[in-house]
Amino acid sequence: TDFVNQTRPLTEEMFSGNDAELARQLAEKGYEVHVGLTTAYAEDIIKMCLQASIREYCPNDSGRRFKDLQSTREWLAKGRAAILLLKRDGEQLSLAGYGWGGTETNPRVPGGETTFALRIGEQNQGQGLATPYCRLIVAGNALLYNAKNFWLETWASDGAAVHIYHKIGFEDVDQEPGQRPTAAGDLVADTRLYMSLVNELLP
């Protein structure tokens, strides 16, 4: 519910089965998954969410959630578990992506209990990171907070994200035609998808 002094790595040894293997694969590529949000990484998120590829589908990040440190603190206070994708270069770690889980319901997703999201920074896209990172956000929230019945919202035109969500087991439960605000400030016709990953827990 607030910033931390130091993030905590979620290592291969903490997981089991395929999740442990995914953590190992990320480590081999030089990436780590950490839980917690320091003010330094929050400032990195504030910068990252201004990237065009993130603003195109997630304008609320730069416009509301992570507009500044105060709005980020208010977002954490809602009970959000920030789970970061970090790239290691020697002793240095830098932000490669950010995601979260947290208790929240949505009338369009019956039984949904845990809201879920992730973003990958532009410099780290196209490297096969999103699928294992996506799965480990779910597994990490289940492991640390007994989170269950995950759900998310996304736009149908964001085909890459939709593919990844389906790949790790999310299923479509509802949809709603609407207008999507773009990074350029326009509105385009699009369809809002609602997905769930019901009873997805670690053994």
Side-chain angles (χ1 to χ4, degrees), residues 23 30-32 38 52 55 62 68 72 95 106 120 126 142 178 191 197-198:
Y31 293 87
E32 301 177 10
T38 64
R55 289 180 59 219
S62 58
D68 50 34
T72 305
L95 185 71
N106 188 303
I120 302 288
T191 299
L197 190 64
V198 178

Side-chain angles (χ1 to χ4, degrees), residues 125-146:
Q125 293 175 7
Q127 300 182 42
L129 303 174
T131 297
Y133 179 41
C134 184
R135 172 59 206 180
L136 291 177
I137 294 174
V138 171
N141 273 276
L143 176 68
L144 298 175
Y145 308 109
N146 196 32

Side-chain angles (χ1 to χ4, degrees), residues 81-188:
I83 297 189
L84 310 178
L85 180 65
L86 304 179
K87 184 175 183 179
R88 179 170 290 282
D89 183 9
E91 296 299 315
Q92 300 297 316
L93 288 169
S94 60
L95 185 71
Y98 61 95
W100 66 85
T103 301
E104 188 173 327
T105 60
N106 188 303
R108 290 189 172 273
V109 187
E113 299 178 40
T114 306
T115 183
F116 164 93
L118 85 156
R119 326 282 190 234
I120 302 288
E122 290 177 344
Q123 290 185 331
N124 296 280
Q125 293 175 7
Q127 300 182 42
L129 303 174
T131 297
Y133 179 41
C134 184
R135 172 59 206 180
L136 291 177
I137 294 174
V138 171
N141 273 276
L143 176 68
L144 298 175
Y145 308 109
N146 196 32
K148 57 185 178 180
N149 298 336
F150 291 80
W151 66 272
L152 61 85
E153 302 177 49
T154 192
W155 292 104
S157 64
D158 192 359
V162 171
H163 173 74
I164 290 166
Y165 300 145
H166 285 159
K167 189 174 180 179
I168 74 160
F170 277 92
E171 297 181 351
D172 298 349
V173 294
D174 202 356
Q175 62 182 37
E176 179 183 23
Q179 290 187 311
R180 174 173 60 82
T182 69
D186 302 321
L187 290 174
V188 297

Side-chain angles (χ1 to χ4, degrees), residues 16-35:
S16 61
N18 189 53
D19 295 329
E21 174 63 18
L22 293 175
R24 185 187 65 77
Q25 291 174 8
L26 284 176
E28 288 180 346
K29 293 182 177 182
Y31 293 87
E32 301 177 10
V33 176
H34 285 224
V35 63

